[in-house]
Amino acid sequence: MTAISHKQPPPPTAIVIFGANGDLTRRLIVPALYNLARTGMLPPRFALIGVDHNDKTTEDWQSNLKQFLAETLAKNNESLDEKLWQPIARGMNFLKGDFEDDGAYSKLADLLAELDIKDDLGGNALFYMAVADRFFAPIAGKLGKAGLARQDGRNFRRLIVEKPFGHDLASAKALNKCLLEYFAEEQIYRIDHFLGKETVQNIMALRFANGLFEPIWNRDRIDHVQITVAESIGIEGRGNFYEKTGALRDMLPNHLFQLVAMTAMEPPVSFEAEDIRAKKAEMFKAVHSLSLGDVVRGQYDAGSVAGQAVPAYRAEENVAADSNIETFVAARVLIDNWRWAGVPFYLRTGKRLATRSTEIAIRFKRAPFALFRETPMDELDADWLILRVQPDESIRLRFNAKRPGPAMALESVAMEFKYKDWFKQAPAVGYETLIYDCLIGDTTLFQRADQVEAAWGVVEPVLLGWESVAPRHFPNYSAGSEGPIAANDLLARDGRSWRAIK
Ligand code: BG6
């Protein structure tokens, strides 16, 4: 899969970025290319074509990106290394063009042909759609019509599609249909950046590279699973986007479901992309569709986060003063298969929560406690395995131990592995891995059409239900809290409670 240090540089390729002047290009794609250069994993010969509608020259594009990268590196006390930057800068070409104008695609075809000869790129091209989602279908269609999606067995043409992939089941299906008109499934790389996170990929290593966990990874031993993606940030100036999206669409059928899939999928027979993707797809098929009773929504009020006063969602820029958009969602997900029947997966995610914390917490069943009848139940905290995805990436096992002293008194203790302490480096953010995998044609970490559609299918009844019933008590949680009280009821009715967000 993605152990970059053991891999070869990818083949010569032209990377074409639609949305060359956008935030994603600046913040994630170009830094990822720089990091690939650092590990010697850029294609030995490559071109970087930036397409956007602004009046810019290649020199402007180069210098803007360089300046932003240098500023980002400076925040980590690093300075930009010209030796790494130069090969990227040399490959850059800016092409002014409107994403919906046929003319832009014929210019692109000419430029690709010219660079292909000049730089000997083997006819390979990777089209990266770093643009608003409304452009995905038009760009793919126009690339197709211009003959740019065509592969002849010796070269490759690939398409990277960012999130959001549709806003409900029908739109996801329609988008898949458009993309598949000109590109074959194996040419399409649907990104969910959570899958690029080292800690998320490590779930597979933990489960399948150890004899210890898999035998107890089932309903005989596991009581329930809690998956939390808590954010302390608000909507970061994205009011227009968020008012159309909300927490459920933004996070649940994509990022949180990917964490569920990694935790719940059956072991694949190999690490081949199709074997892994097939197991994930099977898992999604076994997930019950959510009903309104399985979900709780919330919206933040004014409050304080890390000691700073912050406004209510309804007071954010480009947000309606009476907005009913949710900034928090919690759900109770059931997987109807032999491994998981009867083991709820409780998911929650929200903006402006107490702190930033993403974790998968697996709670094992209690021991039969006849031996400890005198010990109050809440002191007999059951065993937990906590996979901390970010920040402070770690894996922690909590279990009971005898407190030193004459009495048989128990205390919950922990063993912990921390990425930073063990590997002496923080885990990578992930875009490097995803771009590299796309360059070498490894689809393991990308979503297949059926997965995306199955995930939308699970949340569809809630989307429809929420459209017809307005939330009653919005805003219903203070910024800086752990979310709405109603989210506690979701677990309380099963006799359980959430772990603290910390
Ligand atoms: C994005 C969402 O996909 O993921 C954002 O649109 C969210 O709203 C972000 O903040 C979270 O990603 P990360 O990597 O910062 O945890």
Side-chain angles (χ1 to χ4, degrees):
M1 219 173 26
T2 46
I4 283 185
S5 57
H6 300 304
K7 292 208 165 170
Q8 301 299 317
T13 310
I15 302 176
V16 181
I17 306 178
F18 291 93
N21 292 324
D23 206 39
L24 187 74
T25 303
R26 204 171 32 232
R27 274 193 318 109
L28 293 165
I29 304 175
V30 170
L33 293 175
Y34 181 81
N35 286 338
L36 285 176
R38 204 199 292 268
T39 49
M41 290 300 138
L42 266 189
R45 299 189 299 282
F46 91 113
L48 186 62
I49 302 174
V51 185
D52 222 324
H53 56 264
N54 331 54
D55 259 324
K56 259 199 182 163
T57 62
T58 295
E59 291 68 39
D60 296 336
W61 193 45
Q62 277 166 339
S63 75
N64 291 353
L65 290 176
K66 182 177 180 185
Q67 190 188 342
F68 191 86
L69 180 63
E71 284 165 12
T72 314
L73 291 168
K75 287 186 195 140
N76 291 328
N77 298 323
E78 257 191 77
S79 47
L80 185 132
D81 184 341
E82 284 291 340
K83 273 206 307 299
L84 302 179
W85 174 249
Q86 275 315 314
I88 300 174
R90 264 200 308 274
M92 286 169 112
N93 290 272
F94 186 80
L95 183 69
K96 182 186 172 200
D98 196 315
F99 306 141
E100 295 186 282
D101 167 25
D102 290 336
Y105 295 81
S106 54
K107 276 197 269 169
L108 176 61
D110 292 345
L111 182 60
L112 276 171
E114 178 195 322
L115 294 173
D116 204 32
I117 296 170
K118 180 164 99 44
D119 296 329
D120 190 13
L121 300 176
N124 298 328
L126 180 63
F127 301 107
Y128 200 131
M129 300 206 275
V131 292
D133 58 330
R134 66 177 188 282
F135 293 118
F136 294 167
I139 290 176
K142 295 205 181 282
L143 284 170
K145 284 197 194 106
L148 292 169
R150 234 176 280 132
Q151 316 182 116
D152 65 6
R154 282 165 300 176
N155 71 328
F156 66 76
R157 294 289 157 111
R158 297 183 185 133
L159 187 66
I160 299 193
V161 194
E162 277 285 341
K163 196 180 142 263
F165 199 94
H167 54 268
D168 57 13
L169 181 57
S171 56
K173 279 188 171 167
L175 181 54
N176 273 328
K177 196 161 168 253
C178 286
L179 302 186
L180 288 163
E181 198 174 322
Y182 291 105
F183 290 86
E185 177 61 42
E186 64 275 11
Q187 290 177 274
I188 305 171
Y189 290 68
R190 297 175 191 81
I191 284 200
D192 183 311
H193 81 276
F194 264 48
L195 288 178
K197 293 182 195 281
E198 200 78 61
T199 40
V200 174
Q201 292 168 43
N202 193 40
I203 301 169
M204 279 210 271
L206 176 88
R207 289 187 55 197
F208 306 138
N210 297 296
L212 182 61
F213 298 107
E214 210 42 32
I216 56 170
W217 209 260
N218 56 50
R219 61 184 167 139
D220 295 337
R221 295 285 175 264
I222 292 178
D223 178 70
H224 73 280
V225 178
Q226 295 188 15
I227 301 185
T228 301
V229 181
E231 296 188 279
S232 53
I233 53 171
I235 52 163
E236 309 248 273
R238 296 193 301 162
N240 286 330
F241 161 79
Y242 213 78
E243 280 283 273
K244 284 192 262 111
T245 311
L248 189 150
R249 286 188 167 93
D250 192 30
M251 303 292 286
L252 214 69
N254 31 64
H255 304 329
L256 275 99
F257 278 15
Q258 288 303 331
L259 299 180
V260 173
M262 289 300 220
T263 312
M265 66 192 264
E266 291 299 315
V269 290
S270 81
F271 277 125
E272 290 299 312
E274 275 322 300
D275 289 329
I276 294 178
R277 290 172 13 142
K279 291 297 173 195
K280 281 195 187 172
E282 259 174 36
M283 192 233 72
F284 279 119
K285 276 193 201 144
V287 174
H288 280 229
S289 292
L290 291 174
S291 66
L292 284 182
D294 298 321
V295 289
V296 167
R297 54 182 154 166
Q299 188 192 73
Y300 62 82
D301 203 346
S304 122
V305 176
Q308 292 267 313
V310 296
Y313 175 69
R314 287 177 177 179
E316 301 271 14
E317 204 184 331
N318 296 324
V319 169
D322 57 354
S323 172
N324 279 334
I325 287 296
E326 80 287 354
T327 59
F328 174 99
V329 60
R332 180 174 178 274
V333 171
L334 295 175
I335 306 173
D336 211 2
N337 62 18
W338 277 93
R339 185 186 287 266
W340 295 115
V343 180
F345 281 62
Y346 300 104
L347 319 182
R348 67 182 156 166
T349 182
K351 301 281 186 199
R352 288 284 190 231
L353 294 175
T355 189
R356 176 170 184 247
S357 164
T358 298
E359 65 169 38
I360 301 168
I362 294 145
R363 176 152 183 159
F364 291 93
K365 290 190 169 160
R366 284 182 195 281
F369 279 133
L371 279 174
F372 300 99
R373 255 189 210 123
E374 307 305 317
T375 314
M377 271 318 252
D378 56 352
E379 283 182 25
L380 285 177
D381 201 6
D383 311 330
W384 287 94
L385 180 67
I386 297 141
L387 315 181
R388 176 99 178 163
V389 173
Q390 62 187 18
D392 303 326
E393 295 79 359
S394 66
I395 297 177
R396 167 184 261 251
L397 183 64
R398 288 203 76 94
F399 55 96
N400 292 316
K402 178 184 171 299
R403 199 178 295 140
M408 183 46 121
L410 297 180
E411 189 164 321
S412 171
V413 297
M415 292 195 300
E416 190 164 36
F417 145 73
K418 287 193 169 188
Y419 284 78
K420 234 196 263 160
D421 296 347
W422 188 270
F423 293 116
K424 309 284 179 239
Q425 69 182 62
V429 177
Y431 264 77
E432 302 76 15
T433 310
L434 295 171
I435 294 176
Y436 175 82
D437 280 2
C438 190
L439 286 165
I440 62 163
D442 183 341
T443 53
T444 312
L445 297 177
F446 299 86
Q447 306 198 74
R448 223 168 51 184
D450 56 344
Q451 261 182 38
V452 175
E453 291 177 15
W456 278 117
V458 171
V459 299
E460 184 82 347
V462 176
L463 294 176
L464 294 174
W466 281 359
E467 248 168 47
S468 48
V469 188
R472 268 182 300 162
H473 305 294
F474 272 14
N476 60 355
Y477 70 97
S478 310
S481 70
E482 301 210 349
I485 303 288
N488 299 345
D489 302 340
L490 201 61
L491 275 74
R493 64 182 199 228
D494 295 342
R496 301 186 175 108
S497 55
W498 289 108
R499 288 168 46 75
I501 296 178
K502 54 182 184 208

